[in-house]
Amino acid sequence: MALKRQYDMTALFSMASMTDVIFLLLIFFMVTSTYVFPTALELNLPQSSEQTSLKPSTRVYIYPEGDIIVQYADEDPAAATLESLEPFLLEAQSRQAEGEQLNIAIYADEEVSYGQIVKILDIGARNGLKMVLATKAAPTKVETAAP
């Protein structure tokens, strides 16, 4: 006499419990994780495509070779270093008329490292100067006056 099994085995696998576990893990990690807010330097970037009527009175040109050229108003451009840039900008600020704000435009070539641009922006932030990073690359090498 042959004995018969009461229950037939099926070859199906239910994924319902697996998806429940995955959703619970997802919710757990979303609730327990923390958001990381990177610290960054605040930049004054242009907000529109229209040109402003305000012209910068001081210009700082940065080239990939590390050369820095500064120019105040319509005077001849002069070579500068990071150390000599701060006194130049403070002198330019003292030349401004009373109540008039010094506007400094920084023209950097696209190959210049961000670190060098941030160092120059930091000089302006320490001294309370309004510095704007120009969106166009630095023009071809500005000829400086012979010392």
Side-chain angles (χ1 to χ4, degrees):
M1 163 169 162
L3 293 175
K4 202 174 186 190
R5 287 187 187 173
Q6 291 180 349
Y7 301 102
D8 288 337
M9 294 190 69
T10 61
L12 298 176
F13 180 73
S14 174
M15 289 292 292
S17 60
M18 183 69 77
T19 56
D20 290 344
V21 170
I22 289 173
F23 280 123
L24 286 173
L25 285 173
L26 178 67
I27 291 170
F28 172 77
F29 286 119
M30 286 175 55
V31 170
T32 59
S33 66
T34 58
Y35 294 105
V36 177
F37 296 105
T39 56
L41 181 66
E42 186 176 327
L43 299 176
N44 294 329
L45 297 176
Q47 297 296 322
S48 70
S49 60
E50 295 183 22
Q51 293 291 330
T52 178
S53 60
L54 186 62
K55 299 294 179 197
S57 56
T58 304
R59 293 172 183 84
V60 178
Y61 301 99
I62 310 169
Y63 297 99
E65 304 85 31
D67 298 336
I68 300 174
I69 306 295
V70 291
Q71 182 180 15
Y72 178 74
D74 293 330
E75 294 179 1
D76 291 334
T81 62
L82 281 175
E83 293 78 27
S84 67
L85 184 62
E86 188 168 359
F88 174 84
L89 295 177
L90 292 174
E91 179 188 342
Q93 185 179 26
S94 66
R95 290 173 151 186
Q96 289 296 113
E98 188 65 35
E100 197 174 314
Q101 186 175 10
L102 177 67
N103 296 310
I104 302 168
I106 300 175
Y107 298 95
D109 191 274
E110 58 188 24
E111 295 178 11
V112 174
S113 70
Y114 290 120
Q116 191 170 10
I117 296 171
V118 168
K119 286 177 186 175
I120 294 174
L121 290 173
D122 186 48
I123 291 172
R126 278 196 314 252
N127 295 299
L129 301 172
K130 182 177 181 182
M131 301 183 94
V132 178
L133 185 60
T135 56
K136 293 184 179 179
T140 57
K141 199 82 161 189
V142 176
E143 295 298 323
T144 59

